Every structure is written in C-alpha cells, then in structure tokens.
Amino acid sequence: MQTVIQHSLDTNIAKQISVDFQIYNAHIRHQVCVDLNALRQQYQTDFNAVPKIDFAQVKLFIFDMDSTLINIECIDEIADFANLKPQIAALTRRAMCGELDFNISLIERTALLKGLDIGILERVYTERLALNPGGRALIEFFKNRGVKTAVVSGGFDFFSNRLAAEIGLNYARANKLGIKNSQLTGKVEGDIINAHAKAKFVIELCEICKISTGQAMVAGDGANDLEMMSIAGVSVAYHAKPVVVKNADIVINFGGLDKIIDFFVG
Ligand SMILES: [Mg+2]
C-alpha cells in the first residue's frame, strides 16, 4: 500500500478510488495502490504518492524560473518585441523537451536578440511576468517554516535577480545577457547556466546552508532541470514536459504551486 495525495477536495473522486481516505484542509489522502498516471488522466486531477522522506527535514527549496516559478519563458517574450517569437519559442520548446543541446540553443536564440533596446527587458518584467498560481502562498509558507528558497534559471539574471528581491527569495542564479550602449549584444556573458550548472548551484547552496542534498527540494518543468532533480531529496515536475514528468517524485499538472504545501502538512 502507498499513501496517495489527491490535490482536490472532490470527495466523489476519492470515494470512487478508495473507501479508506482522510480529508485534510487542502487535500485528500488515501491508503491505496494505484496507477497514478491512469488516475490523473481519468479524473484530470493531481494524484501523487507521498515520497518516503521526512518533510520536516527539508530546509531548502530551489525553483526553476521560466514556466515553473513564473508564467512565461522570458526569452520568448523578449523575442516578441522583435517579431521573432514564433521562431524563438519553437526553439525554446524543443530545448525544454530535451531535443536540442541547451548551450547551442541558448547561444542561437540569444544571437537573434542582438540590437534590441534594453528597455524591452523592463517591459517584459513589468507587463508580462507574473508568479504562477499559488507561488506567493508557497513562498510565504516556506518563510514561516524557515525553509530557504532559491531560483535558478537557464534564462536571464535581469529577471531572476529582480524577482528574487521582489518576492524575498534567498538566492538566485541565471545567465547574464551582454549589453552595450543600452542594446543587447546577442551574447551570453560568462558561463552558461545549463543543466549541470543548475545542479552545481544546488550543491553549492546545500554547502552554504550546511545541509545534505537530500534535504533540498527542487521544482522544474524542462529537460535542463533533470540533473538538479536527480540530486535533490525530492523533485517536483510543475506543468512540465513529458521527460520531466517521467522522472519526478511529485507531478503537478492541474493545480498551482501551492499544492506542494500539501506534502508538508498532515
Ligand atoms: Mg523552465
């Protein structure tokens, strides 16, 4: 038997899959042995087996940024101002599905942005970027619980640093866009934050926080999140690409980020 969380309070669904269930404030727990993917498909609701770790020991939570913590892929929105969104978004999608080499894809996409005014970055941040649903509640929950939070992104630090400061994340790391004379140079400055660099950042933060990687939890949606997901104590696929869903401990396909709270309570 496994403990399964159903992230909606639809007790009719609960009754259909099990007579033995407990209702919590925000979710239902069952003692059942089930095919989770089949249930997700059938009821269009999130079902997850509770990972066998002590959630009280989780001391650090690391978010991927684009399409995980926030609602957009920043590079696609920058491209929109240059009427290049269809081309760049297609490349972003393929990279996130693991079909393209991340470094080559990022270099190619960034090169297409050469000459754009940096005022566009400001417009993307203020006009288009928002936290995904439940994000603020989840971050407040972690603050109250003393869990440190971080964002790591294969996108750009203009957005991650500002977001971290605005919502009170403890740490942030992302790629640096080249800028000259108030225009994008089309280059990424310094080391690229790819899958390996993301995992290294997780290890670095665990050392800073003096915890094991088993006490770190990560959430992501793209293929470049898989490496950091593999070293963390618990991984969450948030509205993620199929390859990420397949490899995650927890899958959120329908609910918001606040569904992650359900694992820490009850
Ligand atoms: Mg992402």
Side-chain angles (χ1 to χ4, degrees), residues 64 66-68 73 96 221-222 225:
D64 162 56
D66 294 19
S67 301
T68 301
E73 294 286 334
M96 291 305 110
D221 74 296
D225 297 317

Side-chain angles (χ1 to χ4, degrees), residues 39-99:
L39 283 180
R40 289 167 186 151
Q41 288 300 317
Q42 187 177 349
Y43 295 107
Q44 298 292 294
T45 297
D46 292 313
F47 288 87
N48 281 289
V50 177
K52 291 185 175 21
I53 70 147
D54 179 3
F55 280 87
Q57 294 303 313
V58 172
K59 301 295 179 197
L60 173 67
F61 196 102
I62 302 111
F63 296 91
D64 162 56
M65 183 171 71
D66 294 19
S67 301
T68 301
L69 182 57
I70 65 170
N71 60 330
I72 55 170
E73 294 286 334
C74 291
I75 194 165
D76 297 353
E77 300 310 313
I78 298 169
D80 197 23
F81 286 90
N83 295 318
L84 289 168
K85 187 171 179 181
Q87 302 93 300
I88 288 194
L91 291 171
T92 303
R93 184 169 180 79
R94 290 187 63 201
M96 291 305 110
C97 286
E99 297 168 11

